[in-house]
Amino acid sequence: MKKECIAMLLAGGQGSRLYVLTGDMAKPAVPFGGKYRIIDFPLSNCTNSGIDTVGVLTQYRPLELNSYIGSGQPWDLDGSTGGVHILPPYQGSKGGTWYKGTANAIYQNIGFIDLYDPEYVVILSGDHIYKMDYSKMVKRHEEANAACTISVMEVPWDEASRFGIMSVDGDDMITEFAEKPKEPKSNLASMGIYVFSWQALRKYLTEDEANPDSENDFGKNVIPAMLNNGERMAAYRFDGYWKDVGTLVSLWDANMDMLSPESGLDLTDESWPIYARSVNAPPTFLGRNAKVTHSAFNRGSDIDGVVENSVLSPNVVVSEGARVSYSVLLPGTVVEPGAVVEYAILGEGCRIGRDCRVGGTPEATAPAPWGLTVLAPGCVLEDGKRVAPGIMLNRNGEEVSK
Amino acid sequence: MNGMHGIIFSYEKRNDLRELGEIRSSASIPFGGRYRAVDFALSNLVNAGVTDVGVVLHGRYQSMLDHLGTGKVWDLSRKRGGLRMLPPFNYQENWGVMPFRGKIEALAGVRTYLDEIRQDYVALMDGDLVVNLPMTDIYESHVKSGADITVVCGNDSFATDNGTYFEMNREGRVTDVLYNLHTPRGYRGLEVYILSKKLLCEIVDECTAKDQFSWRKALQMRKDTLYLRSYIWGGFAAQIRSVQEYYDRSMQLLDPAIRAELFTPERPIRAKGADKPSTYIGPNGVCLNSLVADGCRIEGTVENSILFPGVVVEAGAAVRNCVLFKEVIVRRDAEMAHIIADKDVEVLEGRTLMGHSSYPIVLEKGSVV
């Protein structure tokens, strides 16, 4: 059946810079903000933008992600026409390959997209925290009569060399694209969100696939090829909150941003809800000794200690006499009496024994090098253990390097 | 176990819920921070493997229809069976116009549905009962005992509005069925019964023929001819029939032992989720000894209270010993104690509202104080 616009969500990456947090799951499945998974943001944006057909391209450790997405019902993406579809690599009669790059992943699913014969295809990443109305971007694409529209945002000039940078003309049409330029000519950075006219994209994907030298990547190959061929490429300016949470520090930052709506990340706005598959648990109980300030928590938790500037996922326990500061606790973590957790990310199901000390403040650590302390899901610390700032432990409690 | 069918009664009854009961049946009253009373009966049944449940409705059931939806939350949206809404559809004379006078009348109102039940046994439950019963165990002991009807009782004579009480002998056989007692005695009936479909239909037909509408009267008359066996449940069991009982039972949830029992992970209570973000407590917020649902924002002080999703307590405000339903807003410097505030209530800046534990004040849905 014909669809005006469908979305393809790239969710196959390992997210290697999240290290132990993505040991067992793909990056888009990583919990965020006490309630969500990263993928809730693009999925909710789709449904709020009126896109009812989404292909999710998975490759690395898809189990957690697949079971989380399920039928797509939490995002209203379980309609009888369209809905959310998990698209792993597959074998054909002539064999098959893993997804070699972002463009190849879409190329391998041309058949899926053709089922819907769309005018436009929106390409999304599964590792960004943001709220965006894709329908406005598609409108911009239509009005500019473009083959490709790339969403861009202004970044500080001194950071511009970390991004794909666009130069634009007076109509915001893209004139030049440079991937991580040493001397950026502009501070408009690509957010990795694209709208393509499907017929144009189909042609370029096929050509790209035929080129043995190509890395089959949108940013490195397909976009430059289109630009070189003189295709109309429009920029779509976005000025809301957007964060790539591909690193431990940026993931931690985004969680902290959620605590302060001034950051621009306001999840309480009911006109643009972010949906999630919620766990079933009773409301959280705060005991007589609880002291929770500038923090967020979700259902099923039991808090009787001190929690400050932290984000707690469901089913967390912070016992009497324990303190959690500037930390992100993923579902089911337990902090026993007397333990102190500072500037840390604790993976799902971690248990911090009595009187442990995990992480520390930058001030107390100076002049020694400081960093976030990260514990892999399932890590258990025996009573009294100390884990210095900047250390990362795997599931067995062994130190691993970042 | 697929041998048991569930019927939940959620029709309007005489009660003392004041403003809380004006817009809803007692089965759809919010309870425990994120539940409706009926979630407990539904979850009890589903946790015992029950796949088919009928909910008998009559009067003010809009809120119940909204809440139950297709039954998906309880895995009761099924190709065969699943959740069925049962407003009175067997009209005789003026049936369906007046409120039901009793369970028999309610069942007679859906008599054709009873014929379609696929299972051999039926569990009858009241929608206003907040409990976490091991229904598998109760069902199995019913079948094993050879009883005609199993009657589930609380292990107390707690006075509940319009309660039914049972006396029994040492073997657990019911010897008397009592109600309208001035001073309750015996064991408090939880209005949970298991019996065969066949016997249920016989009792309903026989009573209907004689214009008898009361289930407990029917039991009273048959206590010698049928084997009525009791099952005593020693845990928490609240029947939400008056504001006072609602308030007292809500406050009991602040006791960890009671929560552990009611919310045992072995038999989870399922409820519709609200699409709300996490709850946020501000830099000067204080929240002690309280049960707090998702999506709240607390900048003031909250103590000994139960907060449903989306409650806002602004800076300087103090909420003590209160139950605040969904989306209640307590503005700056307002102070309130022993208040039950229904959905969407707004308490304006600087207002003071004090009830007492022996007389909690109810604020009607949507009211602005």
Side-chain angles (χ1 to χ4, degrees):
Chain A
M1 72 237 73
K2 174 100 181 146
K3 293 269 179 190
E4 168 90 358
C5 178
I6 73 168
M8 298 294 275
L9 179 62
L10 299 161
Q14 176 184 353
S16 55
R17 286 170 306 150
L18 290 180
Y19 301 96
V20 294
L21 294 184
T22 50
D24 289 324
M25 66 180 89
K27 182 160 56 174
V30 168
F32 174 80
K35 152 155 192 161
Y36 311 95
R37 309 268 188 155
I38 297 169
I39 198 168
D40 288 328
F41 288 81
L43 286 180
S44 301
N45 287 339
C46 281
T47 205
N48 291 336
S49 304
I51 297 174
D52 66 3
T53 307
V54 183
V56 179
L57 300 122
T58 61
Q59 177 153 290
Y60 173 81
R61 294 253 182 209
L63 182 62
E64 185 92 15
L65 192 59
N66 292 355
S67 68
Y68 184 70
I69 293 173
S71 68
Q73 196 253 348
W75 306 271
D76 244 347
L77 291 171
D78 60 342
S80 51
T81 64
V84 61
H85 297 261
I86 306 272
L87 301 170
Y90 57 89
Q91 293 278 324
S93 54
K94 292 174 189 146
T97 61
W98 294 107
Y99 293 150
K100 287 177 280 179
T102 51
N104 175 256
I106 304 296
Y107 172 82
Q108 290 202 35
N109 288 288
I110 283 177
F112 171 80
I113 301 173
D114 278 343
L115 282 180
Y116 297 98
D117 187 23
E119 292 300 316
Y120 310 111
V121 176
V122 184
I123 307 286
L124 303 169
S125 294
D127 49 6
H128 300 161
I129 301 295
Y130 65 117
K131 300 203 281 188
M132 183 174 181
D133 188 345
Y134 303 135
S135 69
K136 287 184 183 163
M137 185 171 166
V138 171
K139 189 154 175 274
R140 157 79 178 143
H141 179 83
E142 271 181 312
E143 284 171 359
N145 192 22
C148 169
T149 300
I150 302 176
S151 71
V152 294
M153 63 189 300
E154 290 183 21
V155 294
W157 279 95
D158 57 341
E159 286 180 29
S161 57
R162 296 199 293 118
F163 294 91
I165 292 296
M166 309 284 162
S167 302
V168 295
D169 64 16
D171 295 327
D172 267 354
M173 297 302 285
I174 297 165
T175 54
E176 207 179 321
F177 172 76
E179 185 74 32
K180 297 183 182 157
K182 283 208 179 72
E183 286 170 24
K185 291 184 187 166
S186 134
N187 68 337
L188 285 181
S190 165
M191 296 159 62
I193 300 162
Y194 312 105
V195 175
F196 289 98
S197 295
W198 172 232
Q199 286 315 318
L201 177 62
R202 203 178 190 287
K203 170 171 160 277
Y204 280 95
L205 285 177
T206 311
E207 285 172 14
D208 180 67
E209 188 64 18
N211 176 2
D213 299 327
S214 173
E215 289 178 53
N216 308 118
D217 182 88
F218 276 105
K220 287 180 193 151
N221 308 106
V222 175
I223 303 291
M226 291 180 85
L227 210 50
N228 288 341
N229 267 359
E231 296 284 356
R232 283 182 65 78
M233 313 276 282
Y236 172 74
R237 285 177 189 262
F238 179 76
D239 57 7
Y241 182 93
W242 177 86
K243 192 158 225 129
D244 179 338
V245 289
T247 66
L248 293 167
V249 171
S250 63
L251 181 66
W252 182 88
D253 275 346
N255 273 285
M256 294 299 139
D257 287 343
M258 194 200 73
L259 294 176
S260 311
E262 310 84 87
S263 68
L265 181 59
D266 180 6
L267 299 180
T268 60
D269 173 14
E270 289 185 2
S271 68
W272 202 266
I274 301 300
Y275 301 103
R277 185 182 292 282
S278 349
V279 298
N280 183 47
T284 281
F285 182 72
L286 292 96
R288 294 179 195 279
N289 307 300
K291 192 166 182 297
V292 181
T293 48
H294 192 53
S295 295
F297 56 82
N298 209 266
R299 53 184 72 161
S301 296
D302 212 323
I303 305 171
D304 205 18
V306 176
V307 177
E308 27 182 52
N309 302 36
S310 295
V311 176
L312 273 51
S313 300
N315 299 321
V316 163
V317 176
V318 179
S319 311
E320 185 185 347
R323 179 165 65 85
V324 174
S325 303
Y326 291 95
S327 293
V328 178
L329 273 53
L330 300 190
T333 51
V334 175
V335 183
E336 294 189 356
V340 176
V341 177
E342 292 175 311
Y343 289 88
I345 302 178
L346 305 185
E348 271 179 76
C350 280
R351 176 174 281 273
I352 310 301
R354 284 171 177 266
D355 303 317
C356 284
R357 278 200 73 97
V358 177
T361 64
E363 301 78 38
T365 314
W370 176 89
L372 287 173
T373 303
V374 181
L375 268 57
C379 182
V380 176
L381 294 188
E382 284 164 29
D383 293 355
K385 206 164 169 203
R386 301 180 92 81
V387 184
I391 297 293
M392 184 162 65
L393 299 182
N394 68 15
R395 176 178 293 276
N396 304 320
E398 297 151 356
E399 193 176 331
V400 287
S401 58
K402 280 192 238 182
Chain B
M1 184 195 68
N2 201 8
M4 189 160 71
H5 187 96
I7 291 183
I8 296 175
F9 296 97
S10 167
Y11 58 85
E12 227 183 328
K13 283 187 294 195
R14 180 176 70 83
N15 61 40
D16 194 15
L17 286 167
R18 308 207 302 256
E19 295 89 337
L20 297 176
E22 277 172 16
I23 48 161
R24 50 173 87 85
S25 66
S26 56
S28 63
I29 200 163
F31 188 83
R34 66 170 293 234
Y35 305 94
R36 303 274 185 156
V38 73
D39 293 340
F40 293 87
L42 278 169
S43 300
N44 285 191
L45 290 167
V46 169
N47 287 335
V50 173
T51 58
D52 298 5
V53 178
V55 180
V56 179
L57 303 166
H58 191 342
R60 297 176 206 193
Y61 54 76
Q62 187 199 351
S63 116
M64 185 58 87
L65 291 180
D66 288 348
H67 179 65
L68 296 178
T70 61
K72 190 162 178 56
V73 171
W74 302 273
D75 286 337
L76 289 173
S77 172
R78 292 178 179 257
K79 269 194 192 304
R80 290 190 72 196
L83 184 70
R84 286 288 175 278
M85 309 292 178
L86 304 171
F89 44 71
N90 284 8
Y91 289 114
Q92 296 184 0
E93 299 283 325
N94 287 326
W95 273 15
V97 181
M98 299 295 289
F100 291 138
R101 291 173 293 171
K103 283 196 177 70
I104 299 276
E105 195 167 51
L107 290 167
V110 297
R111 182 63 184 83
T112 48
Y113 176 80
L114 300 183
D115 284 333
E116 288 166 19
I117 290 175
R118 300 185 285 162
Q119 292 80 5
D120 293 337
Y121 293 91
V122 179
L124 306 178
M125 295 184 87
D126 269 10
D128 60 6
L129 174 68
V130 175
V131 70
N132 195 340
L133 290 172
M135 290 301 285
T136 307
D137 188 41
I138 300 173
Y139 166 76
E140 282 169 359
S141 64
H142 172 79
V143 175
K144 215 169 99 192
S145 69
D148 292 308
I149 304 179
T150 290
V151 176
V152 182
C153 296
N155 194 12
D156 56 50
S157 307
F158 193 88
T160 191
D161 200 50
N162 196 21
T164 311
Y165 297 83
F166 296 88
E167 288 185 333
M168 53 210 66
N169 66 17
R170 214 173 279 170
E171 284 75 45
R173 178 168 180 154
V174 172
T175 54
D176 218 343
V177 183
L178 308 162
Y179 44 94
N180 297 335
L181 286 168
H182 181 66
T183 310
R185 66 170 196 270
Y187 291 84
R188 174 172 57 114
L190 301 184
E191 307 290 353
V192 177
Y193 306 95
I194 296 182
L195 69 166
S196 70
K197 170 191 167 183
K198 187 164 161 281
L199 178 60
L200 179 68
C201 291
E202 279 170 20
I203 294 175
V204 170
D205 292 346
E206 204 179 304
C207 290
T208 308
K210 296 176 182 166
D211 194 32
Q212 288 168 0
F213 47 82
S214 162
W215 171 256
R216 53 195 184 182
K217 173 97 182 169
L219 293 186
Q220 202 176 49
M221 290 169 66
R222 289 166 177 77
K223 69 181 164 57
D224 298 321
T225 50
L226 293 177
Y227 174 14
L228 308 184
R229 186 173 168 276
S230 61
Y231 182 101
I232 308 291
W233 170 247
F236 180 86
Q239 288 159 301
I240 310 294
R241 294 171 179 180
S242 68
V243 167
Q244 190 66 48
E245 185 158 19
Y246 179 82
Y247 183 79
D248 292 344
R249 294 305 206 164
S250 293
M251 289 300 150
Q252 276 188 293
L253 293 183
L254 300 180
D255 178 343
I258 288 189
R259 280 202 313 282
E261 190 181 274
L262 187 60
F263 300 124
T264 170
E266 287 162 39
R267 297 189 301 273
I269 304 300
R270 306 190 203 187
K272 208 159 88 172
D275 284 307
K276 299 245 176 239
S278 296
T279 282
Y280 171 75
I281 301 189
N284 301 311
V286 174
C287 186
L288 300 175
N289 197 38
S290 295
L291 205 53
V292 181
D294 298 349
C296 297
R297 189 162 60 79
I298 301 171
E299 306 272 4
T301 299
V302 175
E303 279 179 50
N304 312 326
S305 295
I306 294 174
L307 271 50
F308 282 76
V311 168
V312 175
V313 179
E314 293 188 349
V319 172
R320 294 192 175 87
N321 307 88
C322 291
V323 181
L324 307 184
F325 286 12
K326 252 178 102 169
E327 322 269 359
V328 167
I329 301 177
V330 184
R331 296 286 179 204
R332 260 167 200 286
D333 303 321
E335 206 174 324
M336 51 203 283
H338 303 288
I339 304 285
I340 302 170
D342 207 323
K343 261 173 91 169
D344 301 321
V345 163
E346 184 176 358
V347 178
L348 297 177
E349 191 172 327
R351 298 284 192 273
T352 304
L353 292 166
M354 299 287 164
H356 188 268
S357 58
S358 65
Y359 192 87
I361 293 174
V362 177
L363 304 179
E364 202 182 340
K365 181 178 169 183
S367 49
V368 178
V369 183

